[in-house]
Amino acid sequence: MRPAFLRGAEVDLCPVEPGDGVLLDLMPWRLPSGDARGEAVVLTAVGRDGQPVGLVRVEAIDWVAREARLAVRWREGRLGYEDALALARSYARDELGLRVLP
Amino acid sequence: MLPPTLDEAGVRLRAPGDADLDFLVAFANDPDLRGWLRFWQPATRADELAWLRSLEGNDDLVWLIEAQGAPVGCIGLHEWDRPAGTAELGLGLLGAASRGRGVGTAACRVALRHAFEDLRLQRVHLRVMTDNPAVRLYERLGFRREGTLRRHLYKRGAHRDLHLYGLLREEWTP
């Protein structure tokens, strides 16, 4: 069982692990989960069956303006997209103190 | 720096190793624990492995806390000032079931005994969020509040204050 970084109803958002490479064709984003400058955080959405279903990135973090953007890559047909977005938004707001730009 | 194993007061403090990686990844990413600690980024297995390796080459003393044979948390002495003989205590317990059973108190007693009696430190200090229930634990151990670091962390949707606590070696009662 993967440890959840953020727990949701349909999916958990977890740290990116090498096994998530199956998703890399969907999203050629740089690993690992964060970067040294704290300008992006990448998380793997994991479904209730334990399978990765998407990748979520809090990106373009501007620590001065206190804002960021969200980007999502999702496996077609898998549940939890809206759940993952909501988790990432609450993480950005409640843990990073950032406003998420549309 | 690898710490000695300390087996006292119903808890066992030992150095974390590669076999503890699953626990350490769960610990570092736990959403509830993160609400009280300074972590804010996700930690991969590679991150935790690198952190384990870094412990061999720096001053931090980090123990895994075992209760009834299972890992339940971590405790450590960080931010060393060798000439002054001071260090900062850090404690985290994973899961609600591990809290409120005296494990944290016992682990602190063991680590503080080692700090003051074996390592002959002059002072141990810690920083804790003002609304953290663990404040009572630290006060029971004899820590004195020395000040407040205002808006020192952003947690749970708000800027949070931290209390600074200190315990001098003559104030420590085993």
Side-chain angles (χ1 to χ4, degrees), chain B residues 54-115:
Chain B
S54 76
L55 294 179
E56 296 163 11
N58 67 30
D59 270 354
D60 283 358
L61 273 183
V62 176
W63 291 273
L64 200 79
I65 305 168
E66 282 186 349
Q68 296 174 326
V72 296
C74 291
I75 190 166
L77 291 167
H78 314 271
E79 304 283 331
W80 285 80
D81 184 326
R82 295 289 182 182
T86 69
E88 177 168 13
L89 182 74
L91 167 71
L93 296 174
L94 180 63
S98 63
R99 301 186 198 113
R101 296 194 295 141
V103 173
T105 302
C108 284
R109 285 196 183 283
V110 174
L112 289 170
R113 188 205 58 72
H114 181 65

Short mmCIF file of all heavy atoms in Angstrom, two decimals, chain B residues 54-115:
data_model
loop_
_atom_site.label_atom_id
_atom_site.label_comp_id
_atom_site.label_asym_id
_atom_site.label_seq_id
_atom_site.Cartn_x
_atom_site.Cartn_y
_atom_site.Cartn_z
N SER B 54 22.45 10.38 4.49
CA SER B 54 23.01 11.64 4.99
C SER B 54 23.24 11.59 6.50
O SER B 54 24.12 12.28 7.03
CB SER B 54 22.10 12.82 4.64
OG SER B 54 20.96 12.84 5.49
N LEU B 55 22.45 10.76 7.20
CA LEU B 55 22.59 10.68 8.66
C LEU B 55 23.95 10.13 9.07
O LEU B 55 24.44 10.41 10.15
CB LEU B 55 21.49 9.78 9.25
CG LEU B 55 20.06 10.29 9.14
CD1 LEU B 55 19.10 9.28 9.74
CD2 LEU B 55 19.91 11.65 9.83
N GLU B 56 24.54 9.31 8.17
CA GLU B 56 25.84 8.72 8.50
C GLU B 56 26.95 9.77 8.51
O GLU B 56 27.99 9.58 9.13
CB GLU B 56 26.18 7.62 7.49
CG GLU B 56 25.19 6.45 7.56
CD GLU B 56 25.25 5.56 6.31
OE1 GLU B 56 26.19 5.73 5.51
OE2 GLU B 56 24.36 4.70 6.17
N GLY B 57 26.69 10.89 7.82
CA GLY B 57 27.75 11.88 7.67
C GLY B 57 27.47 13.23 8.30
O GLY B 57 28.23 14.17 8.08
N ASN B 58 26.38 13.34 9.04
CA ASN B 58 26.15 14.64 9.70
C ASN B 58 25.97 14.46 11.21
O ASN B 58 26.01 13.34 11.71
CB ASN B 58 24.97 15.39 9.07
CG ASN B 58 23.64 14.72 9.31
OD1 ASN B 58 23.44 14.06 10.32
ND2 ASN B 58 22.70 14.88 8.38
N ASP B 59 25.73 15.54 11.89
CA ASP B 59 25.68 15.52 13.35
C ASP B 59 24.35 15.03 13.92
O ASP B 59 24.26 14.72 15.11
CB ASP B 59 25.95 16.93 13.89
CG ASP B 59 27.43 17.16 14.13
OD1 ASP B 59 28.21 16.20 13.98
OD2 ASP B 59 27.80 18.30 14.46
N ASP B 60 23.32 15.04 13.09
CA ASP B 60 22.00 14.70 13.61
C ASP B 60 21.99 13.30 14.24
O ASP B 60 22.55 12.35 13.69
CB ASP B 60 20.95 14.71 12.49
CG ASP B 60 20.54 16.11 12.11
OD1 ASP B 60 21.04 17.07 12.74
OD2 ASP B 60 19.73 16.25 11.18
N LEU B 61 21.36 13.20 15.39
CA LEU B 61 21.11 11.89 16.02
C LEU B 61 19.64 11.60 15.84
O LEU B 61 18.79 12.29 16.42
CB LEU B 61 21.42 11.97 17.52
CG LEU B 61 22.83 11.72 18.00
CD1 LEU B 61 22.86 11.77 19.52
CD2 LEU B 61 23.36 10.38 17.52
N VAL B 62 19.32 10.60 15.05
CA VAL B 62 17.92 10.28 14.79
C VAL B 62 17.67 8.83 15.18
O VAL B 62 18.40 7.93 14.76
CB VAL B 62 17.56 10.49 13.31
CG1 VAL B 62 16.12 10.05 13.04
CG2 VAL B 62 17.73 11.96 12.92
N TRP B 63 16.63 8.64 15.97
CA TRP B 63 16.22 7.29 16.37
C TRP B 63 14.84 6.98 15.82
O TRP B 63 13.96 7.86 15.78
CB TRP B 63 16.11 7.16 17.89
CG TRP B 63 17.36 7.22 18.68
CD1 TRP B 63 18.19 6.17 18.98
CD2 TRP B 63 17.91 8.36 19.37
NE1 TRP B 63 19.22 6.59 19.80
CE2 TRP B 63 19.07 7.92 20.05
CE3 TRP B 63 17.53 9.69 19.47
CZ2 TRP B 63 19.86 8.78 20.83
CZ3 TRP B 63 18.31 10.55 20.22
CH2 TRP B 63 19.46 10.10 20.89
N LEU B 64 14.63 5.72 15.50
CA LEU B 64 13.30 5.20 15.27
C LEU B 64 12.75 4.79 16.63
O LEU B 64 13.47 4.16 17.42
CB LEU B 64 13.39 3.99 14.34
CG LEU B 64 12.13 3.60 13.61
CD1 LEU B 64 11.94 4.52 12.42
CD2 LEU B 64 12.24 2.17 13.12
N ILE B 65 11.51 5.13 16.91
CA ILE B 65 10.89 4.73 18.18
C ILE B 65 10.11 3.44 17.95
O ILE B 65 9.24 3.40 17.08
CB ILE B 65 9.92 5.81 18.69
CG1 ILE B 65 10.62 7.16 18.81
CG2 ILE B 65 9.30 5.39 20.03
CD1 ILE B 65 9.64 8.32 19.03
N GLU B 66 10.43 2.42 18.72
CA GLU B 66 9.67 1.17 18.65
C GLU B 66 8.91 0.98 19.96
O GLU B 66 9.47 1.16 21.05
CB GLU B 66 10.60 -0.03 18.46
CG GLU B 66 11.08 -0.19 17.04
CD GLU B 66 11.89 -1.48 16.87
OE1 GLU B 66 12.24 -2.11 17.88
OE2 GLU B 66 12.16 -1.82 15.72
N ALA B 67 7.64 0.63 19.83
CA ALA B 67 6.83 0.27 21.00
C ALA B 67 6.22 -1.08 20.71
O ALA B 67 5.63 -1.28 19.64
CB ALA B 67 5.75 1.31 21.25
N GLN B 68 6.34 -2.00 21.63
CA GLN B 68 5.86 -3.37 21.46
C GLN B 68 6.36 -3.97 20.14
O GLN B 68 5.61 -4.63 19.41
CB GLN B 68 4.33 -3.40 21.54
CG GLN B 68 3.83 -2.98 22.91
CD GLN B 68 2.32 -2.86 22.99
OE1 GLN B 68 1.67 -2.48 22.03
NE2 GLN B 68 1.78 -3.17 24.15
N GLY B 69 7.60 -3.67 19.82
CA GLY B 69 8.26 -4.30 18.68
C GLY B 69 7.97 -3.69 17.32
O GLY B 69 8.48 -4.17 16.31
N ALA B 70 7.17 -2.63 17.28
CA ALA B 70 6.82 -2.04 15.98
C ALA B 70 7.22 -0.56 15.95
O ALA B 70 7.10 0.13 16.97
CB ALA B 70 5.33 -2.17 15.73
N PRO B 71 7.67 -0.08 14.81
CA PRO B 71 8.01 1.35 14.72
C PRO B 71 6.76 2.22 14.81
O PRO B 71 5.76 1.91 14.15
CB PRO B 71 8.68 1.48 13.35
CG PRO B 71 8.25 0.31 12.57
CD PRO B 71 7.92 -0.78 13.55
N VAL B 72 6.84 3.25 15.62
CA VAL B 72 5.67 4.15 15.78
C VAL B 72 6.04 5.61 15.54
O VAL B 72 5.15 6.45 15.44
CB VAL B 72 5.02 4.01 17.18
CG1 VAL B 72 4.44 2.62 17.37
CG2 VAL B 72 6.02 4.34 18.28
N GLY B 73 7.33 5.92 15.46
CA GLY B 73 7.67 7.33 15.28
C GLY B 73 9.17 7.53 15.22
O GLY B 73 9.95 6.57 15.16
N CYS B 74 9.55 8.79 15.21
CA CYS B 74 10.97 9.15 15.18
C CYS B 74 11.22 10.23 16.22
O CYS B 74 10.35 11.06 16.51
CB CYS B 74 11.36 9.70 13.81
SG CYS B 74 11.33 8.48 12.49
N ILE B 75 12.41 10.22 16.76
CA ILE B 75 12.84 11.27 17.68
C ILE B 75 14.29 11.57 17.37
O ILE B 75 15.03 10.68 16.93
CB ILE B 75 12.64 10.84 19.16
CG1 ILE B 75 12.84 12.03 20.11
CG2 ILE B 75 13.53 9.66 19.54
CD1 ILE B 75 12.34 11.75 21.53
N GLY B 76 14.68 12.82 17.55
CA GLY B 76 16.05 13.15 17.19
C GLY B 76 16.59 14.36 17.92
O GLY B 76 15.84 15.13 18.52
N LEU B 77 17.89 14.46 17.89
CA LEU B 77 18.58 15.65 18.40
C LEU B 77 19.29 16.29 17.20
O LEU B 77 20.11 15.65 16.54
CB LEU B 77 19.59 15.27 19.48
CG LEU B 77 18.97 14.77 20.80
CD1 LEU B 77 20.03 14.13 21.70
CD2 LEU B 77 18.28 15.92 21.55
N HIS B 78 18.92 17.52 16.91
CA HIS B 78 19.39 18.20 15.71
C HIS B 78 20.00 19.55 16.09
O HIS B 78 20.02 19.92 17.26
CB HIS B 78 18.20 18.47 14.77
CG HIS B 78 17.29 17.28 14.58
ND1 HIS B 78 17.50 16.34 13.61
CD2 HIS B 78 16.18 16.89 15.25
CE1 HIS B 78 16.54 15.42 13.68
NE2 HIS B 78 15.74 15.73 14.67
N GLU B 79 20.44 20.28 15.07
CA GLU B 79 20.90 21.66 15.26
C GLU B 79 21.94 21.76 16.39
O GLU B 79 21.82 22.57 17.30
CB GLU B 79 19.71 22.60 15.57
CG GLU B 79 18.63 22.58 14.53
CD GLU B 79 18.98 23.36 13.29
OE1 GLU B 79 19.74 24.33 13.40
OE2 GLU B 79 18.51 22.98 12.21
N TRP B 80 22.93 20.91 16.28
CA TRP B 80 23.93 20.85 17.35
C TRP B 80 24.81 22.09 17.38
O TRP B 80 25.20 22.61 16.35
CB TRP B 80 24.83 19.64 17.11
CG TRP B 80 24.17 18.34 17.44
CD1 TRP B 80 23.29 17.66 16.65
CD2 TRP B 80 24.31 17.60 18.64
NE1 TRP B 80 22.88 16.51 17.30
CE2 TRP B 80 23.50 16.45 18.51
CE3 TRP B 80 25.05 17.79 19.80
CZ2 TRP B 80 23.41 15.50 19.51
CZ3 TRP B 80 24.96 16.83 20.80
CH2 TRP B 80 24.15 15.71 20.65
N ASP B 81 25.10 22.53 18.57
CA ASP B 81 26.17 23.51 18.79
C ASP B 81 27.13 22.83 19.75
O ASP B 81 26.89 22.77 20.97
CB ASP B 81 25.61 24.81 19.38
CG ASP B 81 26.69 25.89 19.51
OD1 ASP B 81 27.86 25.53 19.79
OD2 ASP B 81 26.36 27.07 19.35
N ARG B 82 28.20 22.28 19.22
CA ARG B 82 29.11 21.47 20.04
C ARG B 82 29.79 22.28 21.14
O ARG B 82 29.83 21.83 22.30
CB ARG B 82 30.16 20.80 19.14
CG ARG B 82 29.57 19.78 18.17
CD ARG B 82 29.10 18.55 18.90
NE ARG B 82 28.59 17.56 17.96
CZ ARG B 82 28.08 16.39 18.33
NH1 ARG B 82 28.00 16.08 19.61
NH2 ARG B 82 27.63 15.54 17.44
N PRO B 83 30.36 23.48 20.84
CA PRO B 83 31.00 24.23 21.93
C PRO B 83 30.01 24.60 23.04
O PRO B 83 30.35 24.55 24.22
CB PRO B 83 31.52 25.49 21.23
CG PRO B 83 31.70 25.07 19.80
CD PRO B 83 30.59 24.12 19.52
N ALA B 84 28.79 24.95 22.67
CA ALA B 84 27.80 25.34 23.68
C ALA B 84 27.19 24.13 24.38
O ALA B 84 26.67 24.24 25.49
CB ALA B 84 26.70 26.17 23.03
N GLY B 85 27.27 22.97 23.72
CA GLY B 85 26.64 21.77 24.30
C GLY B 85 25.13 21.84 24.24
O GLY B 85 24.45 21.57 25.23
N THR B 86 24.59 22.22 23.08
CA THR B 86 23.14 22.32 22.93
C THR B 86 22.68 21.59 21.67
O THR B 86 23.45 21.40 20.73
CB THR B 86 22.68 23.80 22.83
OG1 THR B 86 23.13 24.34 21.58
CG2 THR B 86 23.24 24.63 23.97
N ALA B 87 21.41 21.21 21.69
CA ALA B 87 20.81 20.57 20.52
C ALA B 87 19.30 20.78 20.60
O ALA B 87 18.76 21.11 21.66
CB ALA B 87 21.14 19.08 20.47
N GLU B 88 18.65 20.57 19.45
CA GLU B 88 17.19 20.72 19.39
C GLU B 88 16.54 19.35 19.33
O GLU B 88 16.94 18.49 18.54
CB GLU B 88 16.78 21.54 18.16
CG GLU B 88 15.27 21.67 18.02
CD GLU B 88 14.85 22.69 16.99
OE1 GLU B 88 15.69 23.14 16.20
OE2 GLU B 88 13.66 23.06 16.99
N LEU B 89 15.52 19.16 20.16
CA LEU B 89 14.77 17.91 20.18
C LEU B 89 13.64 17.96 19.16
O LEU B 89 12.93 18.96 19.06
CB LEU B 89 14.18 17.68 21.59
CG LEU B 89 13.41 16.38 21.81
CD1 LEU B 89 14.36 15.19 21.89
CD2 LEU B 89 12.57 16.47 23.07
N GLY B 90 13.48 16.88 18.40
CA GLY B 90 12.35 16.75 17.47
C GLY B 90 11.66 15.42 17.69
O GLY B 90 12.32 14.40 17.90
N LEU B 91 10.33 15.43 17.69
CA LEU B 91 9.56 14.21 17.95
C LEU B 91 8.38 14.14 17.01
O LEU B 91 7.70 15.13 16.77
CB LEU B 91 9.04 14.22 19.40
CG LEU B 91 7.97 13.19 19.77
CD1 LEU B 91 8.57 11.79 19.82
CD2 LEU B 91 7.32 13.53 21.11
N GLY B 92 8.12 12.96 16.46
CA GLY B 92 6.91 12.73 15.67
C GLY B 92 6.43 11.31 15.84
O GLY B 92 7.24 10.37 15.82
N LEU B 93 5.12 11.14 16.06
CA LEU B 93 4.53 9.80 16.18
C LEU B 93 3.54 9.61 15.06
O LEU B 93 2.70 10.50 14.80
CB LEU B 93 3.83 9.64 17.54
CG LEU B 93 4.72 9.72 18.77
CD1 LEU B 93 3.87 9.70 20.04
CD2 LEU B 93 5.72 8.57 18.80
N LEU B 94 3.60 8.48 14.38
CA LEU B 94 2.75 8.22 13.23
C LEU B 94 1.48 7.50 13.66
O LEU B 94 1.53 6.44 14.26
CB LEU B 94 3.51 7.36 12.21
CG LEU B 94 2.76 7.00 10.93
CD1 LEU B 94 2.42 8.27 10.14
CD2 LEU B 94 3.59 6.07 10.07
N GLY B 95 0.34 8.11 13.33
CA GLY B 95 -0.94 7.44 13.58
C GLY B 95 -1.51 7.79 14.94
O GLY B 95 -0.79 7.84 15.93
N ALA B 96 -2.83 7.99 14.95
CA ALA B 96 -3.49 8.37 16.21
C ALA B 96 -3.31 7.30 17.28
O ALA B 96 -3.24 7.62 18.47
CB ALA B 96 -4.98 8.60 15.93
N ALA B 97 -3.22 6.04 16.86
CA ALA B 97 -3.11 4.95 17.84
C ALA B 97 -1.82 5.00 18.64
O ALA B 97 -1.72 4.43 19.73
CB ALA B 97 -3.23 3.61 17.14
N SER B 98 -0.81 5.68 18.09
CA SER B 98 0.47 5.73 18.80
C SER B 98 0.54 6.89 19.78
O SER B 98 1.49 7.01 20.54
CB SER B 98 1.62 5.82 17.79
OG SER B 98 1.53 7.03 17.06
N ARG B 99 -0.47 7.76 19.73
CA ARG B 99 -0.45 8.93 20.62
C ARG B 99 -1.35 8.71 21.83
O ARG B 99 -2.28 7.91 21.79
CB ARG B 99 -0.93 10.17 19.86
CG ARG B 99 -0.05 10.45 18.65
CD ARG B 99 -0.40 11.75 17.96
NE ARG B 99 0.18 11.71 16.61
CZ ARG B 99 -0.53 11.66 15.48
NH1 ARG B 99 -1.84 11.70 15.53
NH2 ARG B 99 0.07 11.58 14.31
N GLY B 100 -1.05 9.41 22.91
CA GLY B 100 -1.87 9.32 24.11
C GLY B 100 -1.64 8.05 24.91
O GLY B 100 -2.42 7.72 25.80
N ARG B 101 -0.57 7.31 24.59
CA ARG B 101 -0.28 6.05 25.32
C ARG B 101 0.99 6.17 26.15
O ARG B 101 1.47 5.19 26.68
CB ARG B 101 -0.12 4.90 24.33
CG ARG B 101 -1.38 4.57 23.54
CD ARG B 101 -1.24 3.22 22.85
NE ARG B 101 -0.20 3.25 21.82
CZ ARG B 101 0.64 2.24 21.58
NH1 ARG B 101 0.62 1.15 22.31
NH2 ARG B 101 1.53 2.33 20.62
N GLY B 102 1.56 7.36 26.17
CA GLY B 102 2.78 7.55 26.94
C GLY B 102 4.05 7.24 26.17
O GLY B 102 5.15 7.32 26.71
N VAL B 103 3.90 6.86 24.89
CA VAL B 103 5.07 6.49 24.10
C VAL B 103 5.96 7.72 23.86
O VAL B 103 7.19 7.65 23.98
CB VAL B 103 4.65 5.86 22.75
CG1 VAL B 103 5.86 5.64 21.85
CG2 VAL B 103 3.91 4.55 22.98
N GLY B 104 5.31 8.84 23.52
CA GLY B 104 6.08 10.06 23.27
C GLY B 104 6.82 10.52 24.51
O GLY B 104 8.00 10.90 24.44
N THR B 105 6.15 10.46 25.65
CA THR B 105 6.79 10.85 26.91
C THR B 105 7.98 9.95 27.21
O THR B 105 9.07 10.42 27.56
CB THR B 105 5.77 10.77 28.07
OG1 THR B 105 4.67 11.63 27.77
CG2 THR B 105 6.39 11.19 29.39
N ALA B 106 7.77 8.64 27.05
CA ALA B 106 8.86 7.69 27.34
C ALA B 106 10.04 7.92 26.39
O ALA B 106 11.20 7.91 26.82
CB ALA B 106 8.33 6.26 27.21
N ALA B 107 9.73 8.13 25.11
CA ALA B 107 10.81 8.34 24.13
C ALA B 107 11.59 9.61 24.46
O ALA B 107 12.83 9.64 24.37
CB ALA B 107 10.23 8.40 22.72
N CYS B 108 10.87 10.66 24.85
CA CYS B 108 11.56 11.90 25.22
C CYS B 108 12.44 11.70 26.44
O CYS B 108 13.57 12.19 26.50
CB CYS B 108 10.54 13.01 25.50
SG CYS B 108 9.79 13.71 24.03
N ARG B 109 11.92 10.97 27.43
CA ARG B 109 12.72 10.73 28.65
C ARG B 109 14.02 10.00 28.31
O ARG B 109 15.09 10.33 28.83
CB ARG B 109 11.91 9.91 29.66
CG ARG B 109 10.85 10.69 30.37
CD ARG B 109 10.34 9.98 31.62
NE ARG B 109 9.27 10.73 32.24
CZ ARG B 109 9.47 11.83 32.97
NH1 ARG B 109 10.69 12.27 33.19
NH2 ARG B 109 8.45 12.48 33.49
N VAL B 110 13.92 9.00 27.44
CA VAL B 110 15.10 8.22 27.08
C VAL B 110 16.10 9.09 26.31
O VAL B 110 17.30 9.09 26.60
CB VAL B 110 14.69 6.99 26.23
CG1 VAL B 110 15.92 6.25 25.72
CG2 VAL B 110 13.82 6.04 27.06
N ALA B 111 15.59 9.87 25.35
CA ALA B 111 16.48 10.71 24.55
C ALA B 111 17.12 11.81 25.41
O ALA B 111 18.31 12.13 25.26
CB ALA B 111 15.70 11.34 23.39
N LEU B 112 16.34 12.36 26.34
CA LEU B 112 16.88 13.42 27.21
C LEU B 112 17.90 12.86 28.20
O LEU B 112 18.91 13.51 28.50
CB LEU B 112 15.74 14.13 27.95
CG LEU B 112 14.85 15.01 27.06
CD1 LEU B 112 13.60 15.46 27.83
CD2 LEU B 112 15.61 16.22 26.53
N ARG B 113 17.63 11.66 28.70
CA ARG B 113 18.62 11.05 29.59
C ARG B 113 19.95 10.88 28.85
O ARG B 113 21.02 11.20 29.37
CB ARG B 113 18.13 9.69 30.11
CG ARG B 113 19.04 9.11 31.19
CD ARG B 113 18.98 7.61 31.31
NE ARG B 113 19.30 6.90 30.10
CZ ARG B 113 20.54 6.80 29.57
NH1 ARG B 113 21.57 7.40 30.16
NH2 ARG B 113 20.73 6.13 28.46
N HIS B 114 19.86 10.40 27.61
CA HIS B 114 21.08 10.22 26.81
C HIS B 114 21.76 11.58 26.58
O HIS B 114 22.99 11.71 26.69
CB HIS B 114 20.71 9.58 25.48
CG HIS B 114 21.88 9.32 24.58
ND1 HIS B 114 22.88 8.42 24.90
CD2 HIS B 114 22.22 9.84 23.37
CE1 HIS B 114 23.78 8.40 23.93
NE2 HIS B 114 23.41 9.26 23.00
N ALA B 115 20.94 12.60 26.29
CA ALA B 115 21.50 13.93 26.01
C ALA B 115 22.23 14.51 27.22
O ALA B 115 23.35 15.03 27.09
CB ALA B 115 20.38 14.88 25.57
#
